[in-house]
Amino acid sequence: MRRVLMLGLVLFMAFGAIAQAEADRLTGVWEPSHGKAKVKIDKIGSKYYGRIVWLKEPIDEETKKPKVDKNNPDEKLRSTPLRGYRILKDFVYSDENEWSEGSIYDPENGNTYNCVIKMTDENTLDIRGYIGISTFGRTDVWKRLKMPSKKKK
């Protein structure tokens, strides 16, 4: 009986590790279809978050300083630099190739939307932002960026 229980525990732990590895496939650097930014998705605790790590045009033409979140509805946050800004928040792995329960912030209009992320293949995400139900939303396709490998000396 002890052997059966031990085998069951080992199998349970193995399946948990496999599921976790599948969920962590979301991590990496991704580029939205507009090409204006690159977003790095990381796991923090048990949830996934994404922050802007690169901007095509990092300097504001008017101020000649790094771009800030000037459209944020909270006036106190309008001086926050966009580079480093967390635009994806609180995603959990909900099903095969899907992360949900999170939100996406659009710095171009200052709005935050409910969001679902679906991985269509290892290098492609469908990011669907919506209000209320996902039927009334918009999907953007993000591509994984290959990080250059470090050269050996």
Side-chain angles (χ1 to χ4, degrees), residues 88-106:
L88 297 172
K89 294 181 182 176
D90 298 321
F91 286 87
V92 295
Y93 187 65
S94 58
D95 197 354
E96 188 175 319
N97 299 320
E98 184 174 298
W99 292 259
S100 61
E101 299 180 33
S103 64
I104 186 167
Y105 174 73
D106 184 350

Side-chain angles (χ1 to χ4, degrees), residues 122-137:
E122 283 299 314
N123 297 308
T124 308
L125 298 177
D126 283 350
I127 307 280
R128 182 153 188 87
Y130 62 93
I131 296 174
I133 58 174
S134 66
T135 305
F136 303 110

Side-chain angles (χ1 to χ4, degrees), residues 28-39:
V29 179
W30 299 86
E31 184 174 27
S33 65
H34 57 59
K36 296 178 185 177
K38 294 176 183 171
V39 177

Side-chain angles (χ1 to χ4, degrees), residues 16-70:
I18 291 168
Q20 190 58 54
E22 188 170 307
D24 288 348
R25 292 179 305 139
L26 182 63
T27 62
V29 179
W30 299 86
E31 184 174 27
S33 65
H34 57 59
K36 296 178 185 177
K38 294 176 183 171
V39 177
K40 184 174 186 209
I41 299 177
D42 290 307
K43 184 176 183 185
I44 302 172
S46 61
K47 295 184 178 184
Y48 296 87
Y49 299 84
R51 62 185 170 84
I52 298 171
V53 294
W54 177 88
L55 291 167
K56 185 175 185 177
E57 297 175 6
I59 303 299
D60 185 300
E61 289 181 18
E62 293 175 20
T63 65
K64 305 299 183 212
K65 295 181 179 179
K67 283 190 177 178
V68 295
D69 188 20
K70 64 183 179 184

